[in-house]
Amino acid sequence: MSDSLSLRDRYLELIDKIVQATLKGQIRSKEQVYKMLVEGVSPGTGEIFERCLGDRIATTQRQTETQGDEFKQAKAVRSLRALQTIRGEWERWQEQNQATEALTRAIQQIVTAETGDRLHTFLKLTDPNRAQALTLSQLQRLAKTLQQQSAQPEATTDANAQQELQQLSQGLTQGLTSWQRLEDHLVSWIYEQGRGLGFEGVPGQRGPWALWAKQVNSPMPQSLFHALSLEKSVVEWAASQSTNLDLSALVELVVVLRCLQQGLVNWFDKLVYDSKVGAKLSISTFLAFAVIWSQLATGIRQAAIAISQTSLGDGCSQLTLQILRTFAQRDYFPLYGGIFASFSGEYLRNALDYLDEPLRRAEGTQEKARILTLLGYSFRAQGRVEQSVAFHQQALEVAREAGDRPCEVANLNHLSRTCIAQTSYAEAINYSQRAVILSRQAGDRLGEANALANLGYSEVFQAQQLEQAEPEVYESAIDRLQQGLQLSEKLGDRQSQALCLSSLGIVQVALDQAQAAIAYLEGGIQAAQFSGDLYLQGINLAYLAEAYHRLQNPAQAIHTGCLGMYLLEQIASNTWRQPAGLLTVIRGQLGDEAFQTNLQQQRPAIISVIGVDGYDHLPTLLERYKTE
């Protein structure tokens, strides 16, 4: 107790000394105050100093408010200003001290990590979701220190460890150099006439990749950007780089891609003149980079010939999840979209382990629920229904615990849609009815629009299943779909509009109203393109082909069927077999020669959407359908 009191007296004396020196003009800069604090405050005693400073500020504040003597009041005001300067410099010292301690701890953890685990450790320490994620300046210092450590034999006798430290240092250094070359060109491509943004999820938009490829002179990012600009498969690119992609190269990509993604999101978020456009572009950016890392993980694992390369694939999955977790904290996070990232087996368990981390903080439960919602949607699109249901059930439970009503409603809606896919229409109706009630209670208009669409959609198919042909049954269900569409249009939510239009179109096809279906489905395609949802685009195109087939328009049926088949197969959705089956039927009806003639006539229109490579891939898909 006596030591604490003496320390308190010493700190009060230090504070008074700085105040008096300031009033006398002996201290003329904040740096002088900062230096006295560094020299006067002992490590580990910051809380005592803060209490002393707080007491002095409170006492002096009261003097400025109650002092009747004009001269003494003026002195109290000047003293209060000096105390506020002390507080500002103390906060600066704390921030810098914490940053130094964070870097020291990071270096220690990386150096002492097990061989093969250093990439995981590095990615964990640089995770932007951490309270003290390393900054670019700290990364520069980290690179220098790791280089020194790798050059000191006494630091570690493990040759593999020395190699890993050296590669980490090289990757950081090269990544920071590449970012410096790209930084001035972060958004310049947006202003170039006729250049698409490239983060919409729609084939044919090359965006910034070609420009960025010209700016960097490092082979790995340059090669990746070049592949992206040509819309080549990232999975195939990663597999082809297996002999060149080591720890150093991957760390360089981590620095470059993370800086690009964060820079773009920050820039898009500041588009205050049109917040909806800014949010849409930020969403596209988050999803684009998450997909890139997911595809890199897949490609590296496919070509992995060593354990070290497998760990690189694991690192890419780790980066995907970090992006999604950051994304889940944004107020524009889409509860009704997906990313089509592929997780399975051990990688799925790793994903869930990472997502459990936010649950250790009460405020973090919402993040996990929202990411699980996104992944659940993606799994359903891929036809992995059981896993989709498991994700949505878990997300529903976590969202309910967190009090996240919009997320809870979204998962009820997703479960309803999944039940429809399983032809469990009564269960689908139950989920959508609960979603309608809960969304109205919570004032969640977006959730209500989706719930109405799901309710009407499932009611139509239940009536068909039960062979209830009464017009009023279908009229009531279609009326709910129309309500959902009108509400989504009023809200300006293109994702929900796409769902409602798609639902109306599919229902009209089911009711053999092909002409009426076309208008809805075409509108659904446009809305899905705007929101960047490839799954809804593919589904709309598949049913549009069915509508044209019923109207005996084989040319348009082939055109839309091919596009739907290709887009769905590209996101690994097994629904691609639906349009493939229809195209096979049409070929059987027309004959091979007439079918090929029609396909060749549609070639320009098809290429304009999926490119020459996409067009050339169509025969392969049709052959796959026949043999699988």
Side-chain angles (χ1 to χ4, degrees):
M1 178 67 74
S2 59
D3 288 344
S4 179
L5 286 174
S6 62
L7 190 59
R8 175 180 171 80
D9 291 339
R10 183 158 65 85
Y11 285 160
L12 288 172
E13 183 180 340
L14 173 63
I15 292 167
D16 291 340
K17 180 180 179 181
I18 296 173
V19 170
Q20 292 303 316
T22 301
L23 295 179
K24 293 177 181 178
Q26 296 170 346
I27 292 180
R28 298 180 179 276
S29 70
K30 292 180 179 180
E31 290 301 324
Q32 290 175 284
V33 175
Y34 183 85
K35 182 178 180 182
M36 292 181 72
L37 291 175
V38 172
E39 294 173 351
V41 180
S42 302
T45 62
E47 289 187 11
I48 298 174
F49 178 81
E50 284 183 16
R51 287 199 296 271
C52 292
L53 182 58
D55 291 344
R56 276 291 187 263
I57 289 175
T59 301
T60 308
Q61 180 69 47
R62 285 194 296 272
Q63 290 175 355
T64 63
E65 296 170 354
T66 60
Q67 182 58 253
D69 185 291
E70 189 174 326
F71 175 77
K72 291 181 178 179
Q73 185 187 43
K75 183 179 179 182
V77 170
R78 293 198 302 274
S79 297
L80 183 61
R81 288 175 185 160
L83 288 166
Q84 290 169 341
T85 299
I86 294 173
R87 181 166 60 185
E89 292 309 295
W90 170 248
E91 290 173 352
R92 181 162 74 96
W93 180 84
Q94 280 187 308
E95 184 178 338
Q96 292 184 354
N97 188 53
Q98 289 172 354
T100 300
E101 289 179 355
L103 180 59
T104 302
R105 287 195 300 270
I107 293 169
Q108 180 67 18
Q109 289 179 49
I110 291 173
V111 171
T112 58
E114 295 289 333
T115 298
D117 196 42
R118 285 188 172 83
L119 174 62
H120 171 75
T121 303
F122 167 74
L123 295 178
K124 186 176 181 180
L125 291 167
T126 56
D127 186 346
N129 298 290
R130 286 171 56 95
Q132 292 183 339
L134 300 181
T135 64
L136 289 179
S137 60
Q138 288 176 309
L139 289 179
Q140 289 178 324
R141 293 166 60 189
L142 176 63
K144 184 176 180 181
T145 304
L146 292 180
Q147 176 60 36
Q148 293 170 346
Q149 291 279 346
S150 68
Q152 297 174 359
E154 65 275 10
T156 174
T157 57
D158 187 341
N160 290 328
Q162 289 180 342
Q163 183 182 29
E164 284 186 353
L165 293 175
Q166 186 175 25
Q167 288 186 344
L168 270 171
S169 174
Q170 290 173 346
L172 284 168
T173 301
Q174 188 58 53
L176 292 167
T177 300
S178 295
W179 167 238
Q180 288 175 350
R181 296 179 65 88
L182 288 168
E183 191 171 8
D184 290 339
H185 303 276
L186 177 66
V187 295
S188 61
W189 48 276
I190 292 175
Y191 301 102
E192 294 185 18
Q193 186 175 3
R195 189 179 288 275
L197 286 174
F199 299 114
E200 308 299 316
V202 181
Q205 296 181 345
R206 292 172 176 79
W209 306 114
L211 174 65
W212 290 343
K214 294 176 182 177
Q215 301 305 320
V216 292
N217 55 11
S218 182
M220 194 59 66
Q222 188 176 63
S223 176
L224 175 59
F225 294 160
H226 184 65
L228 287 166
S229 72
L230 297 176
E231 298 178 3
K232 292 184 177 179
S233 166
V234 175
V235 174
E236 293 176 5
W237 177 87
S240 70
Q241 296 293 323
S242 59
T243 56
N244 302 320
L245 196 59
D246 58 8
L247 178 60
S248 174
L250 187 67
V251 169
E252 179 184 2
L253 286 179
V254 171
V255 175
V256 171
L257 291 179
R258 182 177 278 160
C259 287
L260 287 171
Q261 174 228 314
Q262 291 176 340
L264 286 170
V265 169
N266 290 337
W267 194 83
F268 290 143
D269 281 351
K270 292 175 182 176
L271 292 181
V272 292
Y273 59 85
D274 194 335
S275 58
K276 287 185 178 180
V277 170
K280 174 179 177 291
L281 296 175
S282 293
I283 290 169
S284 297
T285 302
F286 272 120
L287 294 180
F289 281 85
V291 168
I292 287 171
W293 281 116
S294 176
Q295 292 176 338
L296 285 171
T298 300
I300 290 171
R301 287 169 187 148
Q302 286 181 357
I305 56 176
I307 295 176
S308 60
Q309 290 179 319
T310 302
S311 70
L312 297 184
D314 293 345
C316 293
S317 289
Q318 192 176 346
L319 286 155
T320 302
L321 287 165
Q322 289 179 0
I323 293 172
L324 292 181
R325 188 170 159 201
T326 304
F327 186 25
Q329 298 170 49
R330 303 302 172 104
D331 56 7
Y332 47 69
F333 181 83
L335 289 169
Y336 295 95
I339 60 160
F340 315 111
S342 180
F343 295 101
S344 60
E346 182 66 27
Y347 312 116
L348 181 59
R349 286 191 289 275
N350 291 338
L352 295 175
D353 287 343
Y354 175 80
L355 294 178
D356 277 330
E357 188 173 310
L359 290 174
R360 297 170 193 161
R361 300 176 290 111
E363 70 275 14
T365 54
Q366 180 175 314
E367 299 170 18
K368 180 174 182 179
R370 293 186 169 226
I371 296 172
L372 291 174
T373 305
L374 197 72
L375 294 175
Y377 178 96
S378 301
F379 278 119
R380 185 174 83 244
Q382 293 174 342
R384 298 159 70 179
V385 178
E386 290 184 5
Q387 287 176 300
S388 173
V389 170
F391 273 123
H392 286 307
Q393 290 285 11
Q394 188 178 2
L396 182 64
E397 186 178 327
V398 175
R400 190 175 291 133
E401 291 174 359
D404 188 347
R405 283 296 183 88
C407 188
E408 186 178 350
V409 170
N411 281 283
L412 289 171
N413 278 322
H414 285 303
L415 285 166
S416 172
R417 207 72 181 182
T418 304
C419 288
I420 294 171
Q422 296 173 309
T423 69
S424 301
Y425 302 123
E427 195 173 354
I429 289 172
N430 178 266
Y431 277 122
S432 55
Q433 285 175 333
R434 288 168 59 190
V436 169
I437 294 169
L438 188 59
S439 62
R440 286 175 174 170
Q441 289 175 344
D444 177 12
R445 306 298 300 282
L446 179 60
E448 183 183 353
N450 279 269
L452 288 168
N454 289 331
L455 181 55
Y457 190 78
S458 50
E459 284 175 339
V460 167
F461 285 96
Q462 185 187 50
Q464 279 198 322
Q465 187 182 55
L466 299 176
E467 297 183 352
Q468 295 177 356
E470 293 84 356
E472 58 270 16
V473 174
Y474 295 109
E475 288 173 5
S476 174
I478 291 173
D479 182 60
R480 295 186 195 277
L481 284 165
Q482 292 285 5
Q483 289 179 47
L485 176 60
Q486 290 169 10
L487 185 52
S488 64
E489 288 175 343
K490 185 176 180 180
L491 295 170
D493 186 84
R494 300 304 290 272
Q495 178 76 21
S496 297
Q497 285 179 50
L499 173 68
C500 293
L501 288 164
S502 173
S503 301
L504 280 162
I506 293 170
V507 163
Q508 295 294 345
V509 171
L511 297 177
D512 206 22
Q513 302 291 325
Q515 194 63 55
I518 289 173
Y520 287 123
L521 293 168
E522 288 180 339
I525 291 169
Q526 292 178 2
Q529 285 176 335
F530 186 88
S531 65
D533 192 320
L534 286 177
Y535 176 62
L536 277 179
Q537 286 180 58
I539 289 294
N540 277 280
L541 285 161
Y543 277 97
L544 193 57
E546 179 67 34
Y548 279 123
H549 177 58
R550 295 191 184 190
L551 292 173
Q552 298 182 353
N553 186 340
Q556 284 302 309
I558 290 171
H559 171 212
T560 52
C562 285
L563 291 178
M565 176 179 68
Y566 178 82
L567 293 180
L568 290 168
E569 192 270 341
Q570 286 295 293
I571 59 171
S573 173
N574 64 357
T575 317
W576 72 270
R577 299 181 62 81
Q578 177 184 329
L582 176 64
L583 290 167
T584 302
V585 169
I586 295 172
R587 182 162 61 181
Q589 292 173 342
L590 296 178
D592 284 340
E593 186 177 345
F595 180 84
Q596 290 300 328
T597 299
N598 274 276
L599 181 60
Q600 186 64 30
Q601 289 173 349
Q602 298 300 319
R603 186 175 185 274
I606 293 173
I607 286 177
S608 68
V609 178
I610 63 175
V612 175
D613 290 342
Y615 180 84
D616 292 341
H617 187 52
L618 297 175
T620 304
L621 291 179
L622 290 172
E623 193 61 32
R624 252 179 71 191
Y625 175 79
K626 288 170 58 179
T627 57
E628 286 183 357

